Amino acid sequence: MSITEMPIYSWPLRIYKPSSELLRLPNVRESPFSVKLENNKVKCTLCHRHCTLSNGQVGLCGMRFNINGRLYTAAYGLLTAAESRPMEIKPLFNYYPRTSALTISTFSCNFPCAWCQNWHLSKFASLDGVYVPPERLIEWAIENGDSGINVSFNEPTMLTEYAIDVFRLARARGLHASINTNGYLTPEALKPYLMPAWMA
Ligand code: SF4
């Protein structure tokens, strides 16, 4: 199916095939936001869709899949954009004004909205991004003179495991961290953002 044939309300079009071959990729990581079920099924607990997947199945967002009873994300550090953007254009009031945040994204979304302005990212579940290790991203931000890191463009929920690692490093280097989200994260997934390891 091409983008012109897709229904207006649509889940991301998946353009890769999940398999155990993918587990060697640096962007494919086992997700802690999962519950193992019987018969090799697994439930994703990252967002309130709570997709329950049999072996080989992919969640509605297209970026999480079950291989042999384990849930994997294909989005860890798989970036589609990394750009210094002014804090004033973010939905935050008087938060680090007159500075910029290194703003990153990946593919896909957990909402099927018709009106997404970033549809070229949110309507696809693809592996066609660039893997950037968390440490390298932080160095970019510091080299750019950014005041922080922001996850935006597509739905940041998709980058949660990566964002948690990046945000921990960012705060240790004096950078702020934020996400522009639809808020459909589960409390379990939100907790690491609110009570990060470096405060424990
Ligand atoms: S993050 Fe994706 S796989 Fe997980 S529950 Fe939400 S839509 Fe389903």
Side-chain angles (χ1 to χ4, degrees):
M1 186 192 299
S2 72
I3 188 75
T4 54
E5 295 167 326
M6 288 167 68
I8 290 177
Y9 282 86
S10 61
W11 294 103
L13 181 66
R14 182 165 49 82
I15 49 181
Y16 72 95
K17 194 168 184 296
S19 74
S20 54
E21 293 285 295
L22 298 182
L23 305 187
R24 61 186 166 77
L25 298 177
N27 54 292
V28 176
R29 305 286 177 101
E30 187 169 359
S31 175
F33 303 108
S34 61
V35 175
K36 287 186 169 67
L37 305 172
E38 56 187 19
N39 299 324
N40 259 4
K41 289 184 177 178
V42 66
K43 181 166 78 170
C44 178
T45 60
L46 182 63
C47 91
H48 287 284
R49 303 284 175 205
H50 278 150
C51 298
T52 297
L53 308 173
S54 297
N55 190 16
Q57 277 193 319
V58 183
L60 287 170
C61 62
M63 292 302 276
R64 286 162 192 273
F65 51 84
N66 176 347
I67 297 289
N68 296 327
R70 294 171 183 260
L71 184 75
Y72 293 90
T73 171
Y76 187 96
L78 186 76
L79 302 189
T80 54
E83 180 186 344
S84 292
R85 309 260 296 179
M87 288 305 294
E88 285 84 352
I89 64 173
K90 304 193 180 300
L92 303 164
F93 181 69
N94 260 354
Y95 191 68
Y96 289 84
R98 296 182 294 283
T99 69
S100 61
L102 183 57
T103 305
I104 59 170
S105 62
T106 187
F107 287 105
S108 89
C109 189
N110 55 354
F111 276 19
C113 312
W115 50 83
C116 183
Q117 67 173 3
N118 289 320
W119 61 270
H120 57 296
L121 304 177
S122 65
K123 295 296 184 189
F124 295 93
S126 167
L127 304 185
D128 194 20
V130 176
Y131 174 71
V132 180
E135 297 79 8
R136 184 72 192 105
L137 192 76
I138 297 302
E139 293 305 324
W140 278 355
I142 291 169
E143 287 165 16
N144 291 343
D146 296 311
S147 61
I149 305 284
N150 176 256
V151 190
S152 186
F153 302 132
N154 76 310
E155 170 49 42
T157 300
M158 299 298 116
L159 270 177
T160 292
E161 293 88 349
Y162 180 70
I164 290 166
D165 289 348
V166 166
F167 286 8
R168 185 179 63 249
L169 295 173
R171 297 291 288 272
R173 299 290 294 270
L175 301 172
H176 60 76
S178 59
I179 58 174
N180 300 358
T181 177
N182 61 27
Y184 212 48
L185 289 156
T186 60
E188 177 186 342
L190 193 58
K191 202 171 167 184
Y193 287 108
L194 302 179
M195 292 191 293
W198 64 87
M199 291 178 66

